[in-house]
Amino acid sequence: QLQLVESGGGLVQPGGSLRLSCAVSGFTLKYYAIGWFRQAPGKEREGVSCISCTGGSTVSADSVKGRFTISRDNAKNMVYLEMNSLKPEDTGVYYCAADLRDTGLLTANEYDYWGQGTQVTVSS
């Protein structure tokens, strides 16, 4: 059964850091690009960052460039999102998703499989 499970969310103060993890099972991670998306209350889901199958290419939204870093470990079936200098506007539910076609796009409809999400709240 193909599954993605996010973890690592929580409450953090502005300027703080969090590391999100995405554990995959039921498929071979190295054949999929992985993206991180987020959705704030009342807003549409937006792409945050994605990483190619080999990890050689990443794309990030302008709003997180220089603050967030995506990485992957295919041997461990894990993908990570390191988030630094967090801002209140980073608050939302964060999802990881798998893209078989490795499009390199941060567009939700390009992604085939999704996790259930983990809540990130940035507040003082």
Side-chain angles (χ1 to χ4, degrees):
Q1 182 179 356
L2 193 146
Q3 196 171 16
L4 299 93
V5 179
E6 304 91 339
S7 62
L11 173 64
V12 63
Q13 292 187 342
S17 299
L18 282 175
R19 188 194 197 202
L20 303 184
S21 298
C22 174
V24 305
S25 61
F27 64 97
T28 304
L29 178 61
K30 67 179 182 180
Y31 296 126
Y32 286 78
I34 299 293
W36 283 96
F37 293 78
R38 66 187 180 189
Q39 189 165 19
K43 294 188 177 181
E44 293 186 355
R45 191 170 297 189
E46 65 171 341
V48 175
S49 190
C50 63
I51 187 167
S52 65
C53 295
T54 62
S57 177
T58 63
V59 176
S60 293
D62 288 342
S63 58
V64 305
K65 283 180 180 176
R67 301 189 299 123
F68 291 11
T69 303
I70 189 171
S71 62
R72 65 192 290 158
D73 185 336
N74 288 343
K76 295 183 178 179
N77 282 345
M78 296 291 294
V79 180
Y80 307 99
L81 185 68
E82 187 76 34
M83 305 188 295
N84 298 312
S85 302
L86 283 161
K87 305 175 181 179
E89 51 263 43
D90 294 318
T91 294
V93 178
Y94 282 69
Y95 302 88
C96 62
D99 171 17
L100 181 58
R101 291 167 298 279
D102 197 0
T103 62
L105 297 175
L106 282 173
T107 307
N109 60 13
E110 295 291 342
Y111 289 75
D112 307 286
Y113 305 104
W114 291 79
Q116 294 300 307
T118 184
Q119 176 70 46
V120 171
T121 303
V122 185
S123 175
S124 56

